[in-house]
Each structure stands twice: as C-alpha cells, then as structure tokens.
Amino acid sequence: MTAAALIVAAGRGTRAGQSPLLRDGPKQYAPLAGRPALTRAMSTYLATPGITSLTVVIHPDDRALYDACVPDDARIRPPVPGGATRQDSVRLGLEALASSEPDVVLIHDAARPLVTRDIVARVLAALSTHRGAIAAEPLADTLKRDAGGGLIGTTLPRAGLWKAQTPQGFRFGDILAAHQRAASDPGAPEFTDDAAIAEWAGIEVALVPGSARNFKITTAEDMTMAEQLLASSPGALEPRTGTGFDVHAFCEGDHVWLAGVRIPHERGLSAHSDADAPLHALTDALLGAIADGDIGQHFPPSDPAWKGAPSRLFLEDAARRIAALGGRIVNVDVTILCEAPRIGPHRDAMRRSIASILGIQVSRVGVKASTTERLGFTGRKEGIAALASATVMVPSDASAE
Ligand code: MG
C-alpha cells in the first residue's frame, strides 16, 4: 500500500500573529522549542512506518521559508502552491498527487505540529478496513449555546460528540473525486474539514483516537503551551555545562601555541602534543559537559600518534561527540593565566580560531587573560595555565556512554 502524506501549510496564521514568537511570519514556520513547527510535523510523518511520500501545500509567498525548514528526505515531493481557501489548497495538493496515484492519503494541518507517530499510524491502520478515518477526541467539556448578551441559552447534550483533528485519511481516488465534485458544485455547503467533504460524498469515515497533545495552534497562548509541552518531553534540548583546566611548563623554544594561534616567544611549551593549554582546557570543558571522559582518555599521551599533534584535532573531536548526541555548543569561555607572552594583542585571533574549529559564531567565544600577581608557577614564569568552561544544549535523554 502506498500512503501519501499531504500537509496543508498555506494559511497566513493571522490569529496567532500577535505573539512575539511569531514576528518572523506565519506560525507554521515559527520556531517551536528550537525547530520550525512545520519541520516537526514533517519529521513525525517521515518517521512513521508506511508513509511513502510527503507533500506540503504552501502559500506562494512562503517558498523561501519552506526551503529553509524542509528536512532532507527523498520521499519529500516538491511543494504545491495553495489556493484562496483551505479547501482549495487541499484539492490542489490532491491534484498534484494524482500522477503518482497513492493508494491512500493522510491530510494534515500544519497548525497541529505536535501530532505523534502513534496517531498517524492509527489513522493509517484504520484505512485498511475503512474508506476514511480521522483522528478525533471525545468531547470532555459541556457545550453551551450563547443566547446573546453573554448569557446561556441552552445546554447541548455532549454524548457522542468528538472533536475532529488531523490526520484525516482516505482512499486517494475517493477524496480527490469528492473534492473535485465539491469545487464544481455551486450548491455544495461550506466544509470545515476533509471528513465533512467525504461525508457529503457518501464516504463512511471512522473515528480513531487522537490525543489532547495534537491540538491546533491558533493563538499565542497555544504556541506557549506547545513550547512548554515540548520542553518537558523526553529528548527536549537541555543546557549542560563543563569545565576544564590545563597546565604546560615552559621549555627551550621560540614560540608557543595558544588557542590555535602561533605566538612568537622567548620560550616554548613542553608537551607530547603542541602544548596548547587553552585548547586542552576547552576540550575537557566540552567533554565534561557531555560527561564523556577527558582528553587524556581519548588521546593518551603514551600514544605516539599524538606526538606533536595540533590540538585543534582534540577540540574537533569533542565537537563531533557533541554533534553525534544531537547537541550543539551554546558558548565557550577560556581564561589564560601567565605573565608572558601578552595575550591582549592575540585575543581576537584566538576567538576566531576557536570559533572556526568549533563551527560556532565568534560572539559565542570568550578569551580572557590574567596574571597571578607574580605568585606561584605562573608568576615565576615556569609555565602557562588555562581554565575553560562550555555550555552545550543536548537532548535530555542523550548519553555518551
Ligand atoms: Mg595539556
């Protein structure tokens, strides 16, 4: 069975337009806990077994927004420009799918970014025994009809009432024909969802349990609620912090490596590698943030492979480990302790060097220097010490073990 997913994202989302979260445009492209709402819905469909293609209907003005948030997956078909109404947009999406003739189609509103794989799978499964099936929730609230003036006229019986959600799934030929008939019939009523069109066309539609989580985002308050739900879900990104410390002794030489920058000096620094204490401290800070051992464990000084190695290799490895967990680096900060050489003239080069090794903006890299008032080994110019801290965002269920 081929199953196409059709996500309708052509709306302008004006009702939610008041939220500061939505300044950047239509709500389906607004970041929701760090990822665009549309990307979340698309990823959920692509992760559900049985979905063979995915097409998004977009507003013609939103092509750049769409291109910026589309995940990389060969099953994604080119986006389809929508029409004046939601109903037109769905029909245009279905017509674009006609050449590929999927067996069934699941139609989804981009305004429901928190749809789960379970819900999609349940609707898909129901289509093996029903011509149509939609996700829905039994109504829990009592319904009142307003008599005007803010007064209750009547209380409506709620028994047997369900709130329709999406996905709404149908045999492809059925729903395409129903939409085309509705579009060409001037006497057709106004429909608020695809199941209503199917019912009007005489197609039996089953109710499949959805979830309260699969709510429709229409207001700024909904957006906040969705953010909070995602923030408390397993796998949500959370901040973690690590620290690092390193020392290298001066020896004969004419330069030192500090934070990936070669600085001429009357002495060198002694070590198995290039003795870049700031990069070693920073590597440990990043490894500490993800509780993944330390630099000595991953790059033993006893291993001849690291003799004279540029320390950027160690830092790149730590960044790779964070990326492998699905994390990202928020910021890093390094303090270098020495009487000489002077760090100030090289500070910006060091920040650029670290930013380039880690693939982050220079604004996320701090480099500071201090002396120890001629006290201790740094004060006696016997060596250089470096401290570092790093903050990373990683999925709450990530583990380097
Ligand atoms: Mg070291």
Side-chain angles (χ1 to χ4, degrees):
M1 184 168 86
T2 50
L6 183 67
I7 299 184
V8 190
R12 304 319 282 149
T14 44
R15 268 186 295 176
Q18 321 310 321
S19 162
L21 281 169
L22 306 174
R23 264 187 224 124
D24 296 334
K27 62 180 181 289
Q28 55 272 39
Y29 300 102
L32 200 51
R35 279 174 90 200
L38 177 60
T39 314
R40 289 190 175 277
M42 292 177 82
S43 301
T44 299
Y45 274 83
L46 293 168
T48 306
I51 298 295
T52 47
S53 78
L54 190 160
T55 305
V56 181
V57 183
I58 64 170
H59 190 283
D61 294 348
D62 293 348
R63 183 60 200 253
L65 288 168
Y66 171 85
D67 286 342
C69 81
V70 58
D72 184 21
D73 192 296
R75 291 170 295 169
I76 299 173
R77 295 165 58 94
V80 177
T85 64
R86 181 189 180 281
Q87 195 177 320
D88 288 338
S89 293
V90 174
R91 180 178 45 78
L92 291 166
L94 292 170
E95 286 171 350
L97 285 175
S99 61
S100 66
E101 274 188 281
D103 296 318
V104 299
V105 60
L106 299 188
I107 302 167
H108 186 79
D109 279 330
R112 297 183 190 273
L114 302 192
V115 65
T116 64
R117 278 183 289 178
D118 287 352
I119 299 173
V120 177
R122 280 198 290 272
V123 172
L124 192 55
L127 291 177
S128 56
T129 46
H130 298 278
R131 287 175 68 192
I134 69 166
E137 273 263 291
L139 196 71
D141 300 325
T142 297
L143 288 178
K144 306 290 186 189
R145 174 159 283 141
D146 188 339
L151 298 173
I152 294 171
T154 48
T155 297
L156 303 171
R158 73 171 177 216
L161 289 185
W162 292 65
K163 295 185 284 185
Q165 302 182 338
T166 64
Q168 302 199 339
F170 310 92
R171 307 224 174 130
F172 180 73
D174 281 356
I175 196 67
L176 174 62
H179 261 279
Q180 287 177 329
R181 221 181 98 202
S184 59
D185 180 346
E190 228 183 273
F191 302 103
T192 53
D193 71 351
D194 303 293
I197 294 178
E199 296 153 37
W200 171 78
I203 300 166
E204 196 176 74
V205 182
L207 292 162
V208 169
S211 156
R213 182 190 166 93
N214 186 24
F215 64 94
K216 188 172 187 174
I217 295 183
T218 45
T219 64
E221 190 187 3
D222 295 336
M223 202 74 182
T224 306
M225 239 159 54
E227 290 258 352
Q228 285 166 350
L229 260 173
L230 287 167
S232 59
S233 305
L237 292 184
E238 64 179 23
R240 296 191 190 173
T241 298
T243 64
F245 177 70
D246 195 38
V247 170
H248 284 279
F250 281 122
C251 62
E252 291 300 307
D254 61 2
H255 70 275
V256 294
W257 282 96
L258 294 175
V261 177
R262 188 184 192 277
I263 300 173
H265 190 53
E266 64 209 15
R267 321 233 31 209
L269 285 171
S270 117
H272 190 62
S273 68
D274 66 6
D276 193 327
L279 290 195
H280 295 179
L282 185 50
T283 302
D284 265 355
L286 289 168
L287 292 172
I290 56 168
D292 192 1
D294 60 28
I295 189 171
Q297 180 187 332
H298 299 302
F299 302 97
S302 55
D303 187 339
W306 310 119
K307 181 150 180 62
S311 297
R312 64 175 298 141
L313 295 180
F314 311 148
L315 195 57
E316 280 166 359
D317 177 75
R320 255 194 309 272
R321 288 168 186 271
I322 290 162
L325 292 179
R328 63 183 165 81
I329 298 164
V330 177
N331 77 305
V332 298
D333 186 26
V334 176
T335 302
I336 302 169
L337 300 177
C338 59
E339 299 290 332
R342 289 190 56 224
I343 302 303
H346 306 284
R347 182 203 306 269
D348 286 336
M350 291 179 179
R351 293 178 62 214
R352 285 195 301 272
S353 155
I354 291 171
S356 132
I357 296 168
L358 295 176
I360 60 177
Q361 297 152 298
V362 179
S363 58
R364 295 175 184 273
V365 179
V367 170
K368 310 184 306 299
S370 182
T371 69
T372 51
E373 299 286 348
R374 302 203 181 139
L375 297 170
F377 69 86
T378 52
R380 292 189 299 270
K381 299 187 182 178
E382 293 166 4
I384 286 184
L387 301 107
S389 68
T391 299
V392 301
M393 296 296 288
V394 290
S396 59
D397 51 2
S399 166
E401 281 141 47

